Amino acid sequence: MKPLEPLPSHLLQAEQVARLPRGFEALGTTAGIKDSGAPDLALVLVQDGPAAIAATFTTSRLPAAPVLMNKAHLAATAPEGEGRYGWVDAMMCTSGCANAATGEPGLADQRSLAATIATHAGTTPERVIAMSTGLIGTRLPLERVANALTSISGSFRIDDEAFADVAEAMRTTDSVAKAASVTVELHSLEGGLVPVTISGVAKGVGMIHPDMATMLSFVLTDADAQPETLSRMLRPIVARTWNQTSVDGDQSTNDTVLLVASGASGAAPVDEDPEALSTLEQAVESVARSLARQQAADGEG
């Protein structure tokens, strides 16, 4: 039987590679969360922060500790966003332990790690966002992760491989790491056009319904946009991509998508420029679509 042709799309074709946009530095390393010794700690720092950030989270009525903390931190940096968007200097993802169904002790653990990262990054805990994935009902090995966080000075890099390491450290049952990137041109502050990178990494396999379930993603760009603009962009994109993927009806306690703009490309702000905003939105959706398809293709069982 002849395979079906994909429906036509106005979206760009994303490359399945990680490209670290300007304005960020990253690393993926081992903290000892996984018994296997595989990478299990990923970090992304904003070089000249804070950066604008928007997020979508699980709609589960039992959200995990990092989701609860993130909403509070976003609301602290941008009260009008009510936990949907704000400002960020540092982001972390741990894999091997979801820090879900851990109650107040688990939330205290998450806040403690945020404070440790904030000290390292020279910022406040409220400008730290975290994601976790793995076993539910177990607490993070706090001392091991804290020790790893205090020993990473000088380990951050600004190359694409560093962002690929982030994707690798996010994996749990994923058979492969997942990444997608698009480059577009936007008008610069000084006239002419400048390249702008939009790149995302994600973890997630199977159990992907409803509403993003069992997946985490960083989507980074060096475009210049306000947090509220990113939020208005992100929510319908998630609805058209990750929320359209259905496997077995389960939903995770940790689902998170982060869209972060460093503004380091030199491009003019997109907020009041409909053409630039549309270009950026299409690029973000192209990355999201690619990541969602990669997750569906890697479904458990």
Side-chain angles (χ1 to χ4, degrees):
M1 181 181 293
K2 183 180 178 180
L4 293 174
E5 294 294 326
L7 293 173
S9 172
H10 66 285
L11 298 179
L12 300 168
Q13 185 66 41
E15 296 181 88
Q16 291 188 15
V17 295
R19 303 197 187 283
L20 189 65
R22 284 164 287 188
F24 299 98
E25 53 189 25
L27 71 80
T29 187
T30 300
I33 303 170
K34 295 175 180 174
D35 292 337
S36 65
D40 51 20
L41 174 63
L43 289 140
V44 177
L45 301 185
V46 183
Q47 290 184 307
D48 295 306
I53 181 172
T56 60
F57 300 110
T58 179
T59 55
S60 170
R61 288 180 288 180
L62 296 171
V67 173
L68 295 172
M69 185 190 77
N70 291 342
K71 289 182 176 181
H73 283 189
L74 293 174
T77 62
E80 71 281 3
E82 299 180 335
R84 298 187 305 274
Y85 58 82
W87 299 94
V88 69
D89 283 311
M91 293 159 281
M92 174 182 77
C93 180
T94 54
S95 62
C97 169
N99 196 10
T102 51
E104 284 299 321
L107 186 56
D109 291 344
Q110 204 73 61
R111 289 169 175 161
S112 175
L113 293 176
T116 300
I117 298 170
T119 299
H120 173 85
T123 186
T124 63
E126 290 76 21
R127 287 185 176 175
V128 175
I129 296 297
M131 302 189 291
S132 292
T133 178
L135 292 175
I136 289 177
T138 60
R139 290 174 62 182
L140 287 165
L142 194 62
E143 184 175 352
R144 271 180 262 166
V145 179
N147 287 341
L149 291 173
T150 57
S151 64
I152 56 177
S153 180
S155 301
F156 286 88
R157 306 198 315 272
I158 58 173
D159 52 66
D160 295 343
E161 289 76 14
F163 200 28
D165 289 345
V166 167
E168 188 68 29
M170 295 170 69
R171 288 174 56 186
T172 51
T173 55
D174 303 62
S175 66
V176 293
K178 300 167 179 69
S181 299
V182 166
T183 300
V184 297
E185 290 188 329
L186 296 179
H187 290 287
S188 76
L189 291 167
E190 301 174 353
L193 297 172
V194 294
V196 170
T197 299
I198 303 91
S199 186
V201 295
K203 72 81 52 185
V205 290
M207 300 186 298
I208 313 176
H209 177 81
D211 299 341
M212 303 190 301
T214 317
M215 59 78 59
L216 306 174
S217 180
F218 292 104
V219 180
L220 309 180
T221 179
D222 45 24
D224 189 337
Q226 290 295 302
E228 186 176 4
T229 299
L230 295 179
S231 183
R232 288 198 303 266
M233 179 187 304
L234 180 62
R235 299 181 78 80
I237 286 174
V238 168
R240 291 191 295 265
T241 55
W242 281 295
N243 284 2
Q244 297 300 311
T245 310
S246 175
V247 176
D248 64 5
D250 288 340
Q251 184 181 26
S252 169
T253 54
N254 293 60
D255 310 329
T256 301
V257 175
L258 304 177
L259 175 59
V260 190
S262 70
S265 65
V270 303
D271 308 277
E272 304 299 330
D273 184 339
E275 182 180 353
L277 187 61
S278 176
T279 298
L280 180 61
E281 183 174 6
Q282 289 182 38
V284 172
E285 185 162 353
S286 297
V287 168
R289 178 184 64 177
S290 176
L291 292 173
R293 287 179 172 177
Q294 290 177 57
Q295 289 166 320
D298 196 24
E300 291 175 333

